[in-house]
Each structure stands twice: as structure tokens, then as C-alpha cells.
Amino acid sequence: MSNLDQRPAPTPCGAAPRTGPVHELQPGREVPLGESTVVRRLLPNLGRRMVGAWVFVDHYGPDDIADEPGMQVPPHPHIGLQTVSWLHAGEVLHRDSLGSLQTVRPRELGLMTAGRAISHSEESPSPHRNAPILHGAQLWVALPDAHRHTAPAFEHHTTLPVLHGGGGLTATVILGELDGAASPGTTYSPLVGADLALAAGTDTRLPLTEDFEYAALSMSGSPVIDGVPLPPGALLYLGEGRRELPLRSDHDAAVMLLGGVPFEEEIIMWWNFVGRTGEEIAQARADWARGTRFGEVTGYAGDRLSAPALPPVPLKPRGRTR
């Protein structure tokens, strides 16, 4: 997934003060992605930069793309992060500079580790007759300093652990660990990403890890998370210090649970890069503009993305920011 903004603002992240349990509702903002897809950008935002190592969250759909291009994200670069593709409906074709060519389908994990450098594209396979509805989330995980120069990699996992809780809850562990179940996806910091299906009449409590901070993204329906009604496409930041999470829904609903140990390192996110200094970000941009370092994505019917201009103010990580 790319940030297609041609005037991206640098976003200092990490090293946030501890909060304890809270309720912060983040409605997100609409951002165009390609020719016909509009996403709701939930992280980063003015109120919250990160949730654990989760540093970027887009929610899109459900959209009828039967007569539309659907998702069309040209080849673009990444450093210092992992991308997570998660679908409730539709298909996304992933290509990258490692030579990967993979169609990701609903409830399958597409996980790309950018590490020191990678480029990739994403598109809705054409025609869309078999998958006319597109609905999902794209997320980034910031890599800690010890691993951010690791070799790039792509993983595709079709089988993920599923927990069947009482009270109408079914949880698929996308990444990390939840209640003793671990995803096969590679992680570099303690975190969790899970898809929670709440059947009509659900009234239960989900065990959590007390030293994680959490957020809940409503994918569909109108669930009630710890007493807070959550409209579709909204993010509820829950803070940390919780041992369990009350979940309730009168009708079928779906929620993504994101969490992790608070990210203590100061980082800069600009365009599609996560780094530590302005010089590092500028070097990555220059390398992409010159066509070096990131490799080539073959097979995409279109040009690669051009890098936007750097802001006139030098990119610097700030102090302890939300």
C-alpha cells in the first residue's frame, strides 16, 4: 500500500507518553487512492500517531468495483516497515521487486517486509466478475532499529489461527499473538493484529496483554467496544493497562484489534518511508528517483510513482509526541 499524497507532511512518531486505559474515537479522513478508490486514513492522525508498532492504517470499502478500475497502486518504494494486506471482500494482486506475484484473497495474510529497501505494486485483478466488491484494510508496522535494515521479504499465509470465544466471538489472529494463539507471519516487536467477528447478540470479554496498548477498527456493523458504540470505518484508541476488553453487538459486526508494546523509538514517516533522520529519508527519495536500491517491479501496466518533493523544512523527529 502506498501513500499517494504528492505533498506528504513529515510525521514524527513513537516515544509517546503512557496513557492507561482511555477512549479516544478517531473518525479518520478520506484520502483518494488511485483512480477510483477512496480510503479512510485512521493512522497517523492529529490525535494519535501509533498503536504499538502499528504506524499506518487505511480502511476502504465496501465498494462496488464491477465497472470501476478498483485498486490501482503503481510501483512505489518502502523502507523501514512492514505492510499488512487484509481483505474482507475482493482480491488484490501483489507484485514486488523480489519477483513475487501473489493474489491475496479474503482472510489471507499478505505481509511484506520492506527492511532496507523494496518496491511493489497493488491492483484489483481484471476483470472483477468473481470479486466485484472490495473491502479491507492496509496497515504498516514500523520496524525497530535493530531490524529496520533487514533483507526484504514477502509472505503469503492462507491458514491463520482462529479462536472461538464464548458469547458469539470468533477471532482470527492476523499477526502476532492473541490469547495464546500465534500467527505464522514474521514479527519484529511484540504486537497483535486480529480480526474479530461478532455474531448478533455477542456479549463477551476478550483477554488482553496488560502491557500492550490497543485500538479497535470497526470494519462493519456497529459494535460496542468497552461501552463505546463504534460506527463503521472508525478507530477507537483504548490505551494500555487492560487485562480484558468487553465486546457487544446486537447485529453481526466485524472489528480489527490492533495492539502492541508502546513504541519507544523516535521515528520519522514521510511518503512511503519510515526512518530515523531527515538525511536517511532524503537519501531514500534520491535513490528512488535515480532508479537505484529498490529494484524493479515487472508486469504492472503503467508507470511507477514519482517521488514528491521534500518539504522545505528539514525532517526531524520531535520529542515525546502522541
Side-chain angles (χ1 to χ4, degrees), residues 34-230:
E35 298 178 42
S36 61
T37 301
V38 174
V39 303
R40 286 164 289 283
R41 184 145 300 159
L42 297 154
L43 281 182
N45 60 56
L46 292 176
R48 181 62 48 189
R49 297 289 189 257
M50 299 182 75
V51 177
W54 299 96
V55 73
F56 182 95
V57 177
D58 276 353
H59 171 253
Y60 52 90
D63 296 326
D64 186 345
I65 62 168
D67 298 315
E68 301 288 344
M71 182 179 293
Q72 299 293 330
V73 182
H76 58 279
H78 287 291
I79 61 168
L81 56 85
Q82 292 177 290
T83 67
V84 176
S85 298
W86 186 250
L87 288 169
H88 275 199
E91 297 178 344
V92 172
L93 178 62
H94 167 96
R95 305 174 190 266
D96 64 40
S97 53
L98 301 176
S100 307
L101 178 64
Q102 181 63 57
T103 299
V104 180
R105 297 180 172 87
R107 271 72 181 189
E108 298 178 353
L109 171 61
L111 176 65
M112 187 182 75
T113 299
R116 57 180 175 259
I118 198 170
S119 57
H120 75 135
S121 66
E122 292 172 298
E123 59 188 297
S124 298
S126 184
H128 310 315
R129 287 190 299 268
N130 296 327
I133 304 299
L134 183 63
H135 182 204
Q138 292 276 358
L139 313 98
W140 297 354
V141 177
L143 291 173
D145 189 62
H147 299 287
R148 65 193 184 93
H149 298 298
T150 192
F154 178 74
E155 303 173 37
H156 178 232
H157 299 284
T158 60
T159 302
L160 299 168
V162 178
L163 302 173
H164 298 280
L169 171 67
T170 301
T172 301
V173 185
I174 302 168
L175 199 62
E177 297 187 25
L178 178 67
D179 197 22
S183 164
T186 303
T187 58
Y188 295 90
S189 59
L191 54 76
V192 65
D195 188 280
L196 311 180
L198 282 62
T202 292
D203 190 355
T204 189
R205 292 173 178 267
L206 178 67
L208 299 181
T209 301
E210 193 171 5
D211 60 350
F212 278 18
E213 60 178 345
Y214 290 94
L217 165 61
S218 178
M219 296 289 289
S220 60
S222 299
V224 178
I225 311 297
D226 196 23
V228 179
L230 196 56

